[in-house]
Amino acid sequence: MIGDISPPVTSIPGSSDLFALCICLNFNPKIIESFDLLSHKLKHEVVEGNEELRKPQNLIPPFSKVVSHFGTSGISVALATGVTHPLDVVKVRLQMQHVGQRGPLIGMTGIFLQLMKNEGRRSLYLGLTPALTRSVLYGGLRLGLYEPTKVSFDWAFGSTNVLVKIASGAFAGAFSTALTNPVEVVKVRLQMNPNAVPIAEVRDIVSKEGIGALWKGVGPAMVRAAALTASQLATYDEAKRILVKRTSLEEGFHLHLCSSVVAGLVSTLITAPMDMIKTRLMLQQGSESTKTYRNGFHCGYKVVRKEGPLALYKGGFAIFARLGPQTMITFILCEKLRSLAGLHTM
């Protein structure tokens, strides 16, 4: 229509047309100028946002981060194992007292003095090489798999409650043990034989008992590892959460120390019987017909029947004396190494 000077809205490309419109409609030009700047800014931010959304999301972490994640776990467990290994040797000797019969037990101090007198100081470090090897592999996997498993359960079920933490720890422990059981068998055999050499012991086991002998006791070992990792990591995780919530403790050494003490105590009470059964099965030699124990349940039944229920806790104090400090060293050191590597806390 003639005289209608207002252009279509879609034809307004910039500020000059806005000024023209403003004059025609008797609006304040400063309002239109502000509106124009705001529109330009919003358009720029939307374009940038779309570019960010269009970028491919990399769900797989960098290889260096994966190495740091598992490496910090393995190193911390290995160092803790090296410090507490003499107590592990004493524990194995305690568990092998009076096999198949009742009788007075020699205490932890008595076993220690007996080892020093009869076999010397070196006996306290029997099986150290396979123990450290296993610690790096088993410890790295056990601690390293806990968080990815927990995240996977959270994605699948939408929860990270204590049951999810227990299930995550159980899976990480059982899977890690299934892979590293041969190293554990060699370690236990060396701890009972001061003259054995690791490679020679492996050859001897395979030639006399078959390659399957390297997985002796894998059932109880997996159950024990599942229970240990579930109780240790889930307890540590929950203890940290509760202490932060209900006390004045914050992320740091004191929080890690208190949480790891609780985790060490709980895991010892739960896993001591399984540890004793695992040791008995791994040290058992001979053919199927001459074996004392058929499986883990049979071993537990015979131990309770012939040696009494408390026999399941043979070496229990030695287990705690070893597992308590080991748990504390492992978690405190792992948290520190993760911090230095730029990873988040456990």
Side-chain angles (χ1 to χ4, degrees):
M1 186 171 74
I2 300 173
D4 186 1
I5 59 173
S6 55
V9 175
T10 54
S11 68
I12 302 175
S15 58
S16 57
D17 291 325
L18 287 172
F19 277 117
L21 179 64
C22 131
I23 293 169
C24 293
L25 298 179
N26 199 25
F27 285 166
N28 188 340
K30 291 184 177 179
I31 297 175
I32 301 300
E33 184 179 8
S34 300
F35 175 78
D36 185 42
L37 291 171
L38 180 62
S39 300
H40 180 73
K41 182 178 180 182
L42 288 173
K43 186 185 294 183
H44 183 66
E45 288 180 354
V46 169
V47 169
E48 283 187 343
N50 288 336
E51 287 177 356
E52 289 294 325
L53 290 173
R54 282 196 295 268
K55 288 181 181 179
Q57 299 294 321
N58 187 13
L59 299 177
I60 301 175
F63 180 71
S64 59
K65 195 169 184 179
V66 173
V67 171
S68 297
H69 178 74
F70 286 95
T72 53
S73 301
I75 291 170
S76 59
V77 175
L79 290 174
T81 298
V83 172
T84 60
H85 187 76
L87 292 167
D88 190 46
V89 175
V90 173
K91 177 210 73 175
V92 169
R93 297 297 180 93
L94 282 167
Q95 290 173 337
M96 292 308 295
Q97 290 185 87
H98 304 303
V99 175
Q101 58 185 342
R102 296 174 187 263
L105 299 177
I106 303 174
M108 184 176 171
T109 305
I111 290 289
F112 174 78
L113 293 174
Q114 196 177 80
L115 276 168
M116 293 291 287
K117 181 182 177 181
N118 299 334
E119 301 175 39
R121 293 181 181 179
R122 291 185 63 186
S123 63
L124 295 174
Y125 287 92
L126 291 171
L128 181 61
T129 301
L132 292 177
T133 304
R134 178 182 177 273
S135 295
V136 172
L137 299 174
Y138 166 70
L141 286 171
R142 187 169 71 89
L143 268 65
L145 287 174
Y146 173 71
E147 283 189 76
T149 306
K150 190 171 69 171
V151 170
S152 299
F153 280 139
D154 182 31
W155 176 79
F157 304 110
S159 174
T160 54
N161 60 31
V162 67
L163 294 177
V164 168
K165 293 174 182 177
I166 290 171
S168 302
F171 171 78
F175 181 77
S176 304
T177 294
L179 293 180
T180 60
N181 195 75
V183 187
E184 175 73 1
V185 171
V186 175
K187 183 200 80 170
V188 172
R189 295 286 182 94
L190 289 173
Q191 288 175 340
M192 292 299 293
N193 185 0
N195 299 316
V197 179
I199 300 299
E201 186 67 24
V202 172
R203 290 173 182 166
D204 193 49
I205 292 171
V206 173
S207 63
K208 292 181 180 179
E209 304 171 55
I211 195 167
L214 293 173
W215 273 269
K216 274 186 177 180
V218 68
M222 287 178 68
V223 173
R224 175 193 174 274
L228 172 65
T229 310
S231 59
Q232 206 176 47
L233 288 171
T235 302
Y236 180 76
D237 208 342
E238 277 296 294
K240 277 183 69 176
R241 185 185 67 81
I242 293 169
L243 287 171
V244 167
K245 184 178 180 181
R246 299 187 180 181
T247 70
S248 59
L249 288 174
E250 296 180 352
E251 190 66 47
F253 174 78
H254 292 99
L255 177 64
H256 302 159
L257 177 63
C258 294
S259 303
S260 60
V261 169
V262 175
L265 181 60
V266 171
S267 57
T268 299
L269 291 173
I270 291 173
T271 62
M274 302 172 195
D275 190 273
M276 199 278 296
I277 291 170
K278 178 207 74 171
T279 301
R280 290 283 180 94
L281 288 173
M282 286 182 173
L283 288 169
Q284 183 174 235
Q285 299 185 30
S287 62
E288 291 294 326
S289 59
T290 59
K291 283 181 179 178
T292 307
Y293 311 117
R294 292 194 296 270
N295 51 51
F297 291 108
H298 184 243
C299 178
Y301 169 74
K302 293 199 76 172
V303 167
V304 171
R305 185 179 175 185
K306 293 188 175 183
E307 303 172 45
L310 290 178
L312 291 172
Y313 281 89
K314 277 184 180 179
F317 183 75
I319 291 174
F320 177 70
R322 168 185 166 268
L323 193 56
Q326 187 183 40
T327 302
M328 288 186 281
I329 295 169
T330 297
F331 283 127
I332 292 171
L333 190 57
C334 190
E335 294 276 23
K336 186 62 179 178
L337 290 174
R338 288 172 71 88
S339 175
L340 293 174
L343 303 173
H344 61 79
T345 57
M346 294 178 68

